[in-house]
Amino acid sequence: MAPNHRISRDQDLEQMQSLVEFTRARLGTEAQSPFGSSVVETETGRLVLRRLNAVRKENDPSSHAEVRTMRAACKRLKKPSLAGHTLYTTCEPCPMCMAMALWSGVDRVVFGATIADASKHCAQIYVSAKQLQQRSDMDCRVEGPVARASCVALFEDPRMVEAMSLWRKSRRMTSKQKPSKR
């Protein structure tokens, strides 16, 4: 079990709503993405920083919000460990992002929308954050969904629906890769 956590469910909800507002404020801009992430100190709830997904902007398939947030947080803190910190994310982390959360040593991962929610709008890998955590020997509590409806609404915003549609058209997706109707 990860270290003693002092952040309550109400504080998680407050952190997630703040992240949703940060993410929503960037819809309709060049940086728009429904995927937002933040790192906060677990004990105090103090924000370290936030980032959005930048895959298209950076032409880098690993530029997911969680990866960008954890990389920047480690640089800001000048250490490769995020022990003592919680990762918040508007969508359940994909296996790449969850693996990085585990490697970084975050105490907790708190997510909003689920992989199933995101799969209605974009391609996903169907391995849950909890499944990945359970297959590791690293301590990390995975909690969610938190503020799920607010996070799903980011995907359903008309600006994101249009952007995701254009993104899907730019990719050659097989029938297996097309977003599900689940």
Side-chain angles (χ1 to χ4, degrees):
M1 185 60 107
N4 189 13
H5 305 294
R6 300 190 184 193
I7 296 178
S8 70
R9 183 77 173 177
D10 287 343
Q11 290 168 315
D12 280 341
L13 187 56
E14 188 177 305
Q15 289 285 353
M16 190 64 76
Q17 290 294 66
S18 178
L19 178 58
V20 166
E21 289 306 314
F22 167 83
T23 306
R24 183 181 296 120
R26 282 140 187 89
L27 295 181
T29 71
E30 186 180 304
Q32 76 178 357
S33 172
F35 299 99
S37 183
S38 60
V39 168
V40 304
E41 291 177 356
T42 299
E43 242 181 79
T44 66
R46 184 185 73 79
L47 176 67
V48 175
L49 55 77
R50 297 176 179 143
R51 293 287 186 267
L52 296 175
N53 178 301
V55 168
R56 303 258 319 160
K57 183 179 177 189
E58 296 177 0
N59 294 309
D60 179 352
S62 72
S63 287
H64 289 200
E66 300 92 335
V67 169
R68 295 181 75 236
T69 303
M70 289 182 281
R71 283 180 180 157
C74 287
K75 285 180 184 179
R76 179 169 288 170
L77 298 169
K78 296 181 178 10
K79 58 183 185 174
S81 172
L82 292 175
H85 294 83
T86 296
L87 176 72
Y88 288 88
T89 180
T90 58
C91 187
E92 184 174 0
C94 74
M96 174 184 70
C97 294
M98 187 60 204
M100 184 163 174
L102 292 168
W103 287 120
S104 76
V106 294
D107 299 336
R108 302 167 62 233
V109 171
V110 180
F111 65 87
T114 65
I115 289 172
D117 296 329
S119 74
K120 295 172 185 168
H121 306 280
C122 56
Q124 292 294 307
I125 298 171
Y126 297 94
V127 178
S128 76
K130 288 178 182 175
Q131 287 173 320
L132 202 58
Q133 188 284 324
Q134 291 167 352
R135 304 246 352 191
S136 80
D137 60 1
M138 298 166 209
D139 289 332
C140 178
R141 184 184 257 159
V142 178
E143 299 177 19
V146 171
R148 182 179 186 180
S150 297
C151 293
V152 169
L154 295 168
F155 288 92
E156 296 172 346
D157 182 283
R159 296 166 291 188
M160 277 316 317
V161 170
E162 181 181 352
M164 291 251 182
S165 174
L166 292 171
W167 177 76
R168 281 192 306 271
K169 287 178 185 175
S170 74
R171 294 185 68 201
R172 292 185 189 161
M173 300 175 86
T174 67
S175 59
K176 185 177 178 181
Q177 293 171 308
K178 289 184 179 152
S180 77
K181 305 283 190 242
R182 296 177 207 203

